[in-house]
Amino acid sequence: MIPELDEQGIRTVAQAILDRVNGGLGWRVHKVRTPERTFAEVGVGPAGAGEDDLYWGVYPLNVPRPDAIANLASNLQDHAIEAAWGQALPACPGHTHPLSPDVIDGQPLWLCPVDSGRHREPIA
């Protein structure tokens, strides 16, 4: 069964992700749309960006919420890193690589990709 779309909840999660991967981009959530019943698309970008200038991430509606959050974090992180010319966003403390989104014990987390026990923090 596909859950009801909680647009405000998805916007809140997406903005929390953007706030963490900021890198000086100053992006915000512009739009949430559902072209299919199984996923929502989240359009993000700088203030004043038109729909054609947005970067889009996917929030699956047919998986557990922690997995949907990690998927959206991965999508938005990829766009932010590309827009910031390869800057590690969010940076892993003490390392030169970015943190990686994942789900551990049902919690969506940013993790050190080299040693997940070294650093972990909630995605949203």
Side-chain angles (χ1 to χ4, degrees), residues 8-54:
Q8 186 55 48
I10 293 171
R11 283 180 172 277
T12 300
V13 165
Q15 191 60 57
I17 293 165
L18 293 177
D19 291 346
R20 185 64 180 97
V21 300
N22 184 17
L25 297 171
W27 286 1
R28 67 178 186 84
V29 178
H30 287 268
K31 189 168 193 159
V32 175
R33 65 185 184 194
T34 52
E36 302 286 334
R37 288 186 36 100
T38 57
F39 65 92
E41 293 177 329
V42 181
V44 303
E51 189 166 340
D52 291 340
D53 300 319
L54 298 180

Side-chain angles (χ1 to χ4, degrees), residues 35-96:
E36 302 286 334
R37 288 186 36 100
T38 57
F39 65 92
E41 293 177 329
V42 181
V44 303
E51 189 166 340
D52 291 340
D53 300 319
L54 298 180
Y55 297 89
W56 294 91
V58 174
Y59 185 97
L61 298 172
N62 58 353
V63 300
R65 184 171 167 79
D67 295 307
I69 291 170
N71 186 83
L72 181 61
S74 179
N75 291 172
L76 298 183
Q77 178 187 40
D78 288 347
H79 291 309
I81 289 171
E82 182 178 334
W85 299 92
Q87 185 178 346
L89 301 173
C92 184
H95 290 157
T96 58

Side-chain angles (χ1 to χ4, degrees), residues 69-120:
I69 291 170
N71 186 83
L72 181 61
S74 179
N75 291 172
L76 298 183
Q77 178 187 40
D78 288 347
H79 291 309
I81 289 171
E82 182 178 334
W85 299 92
Q87 185 178 346
L89 301 173
C92 184
H95 290 157
T96 58
H97 54 251
L99 293 170
S100 294
D102 204 349
V103 177
I104 305 290
D105 296 328
Q107 298 297 315
L109 301 170
W110 291 112
L111 303 169
C112 173
V114 174
D115 178 5
S116 63
R118 182 177 188 285
H119 182 84
R120 60 176 60 185

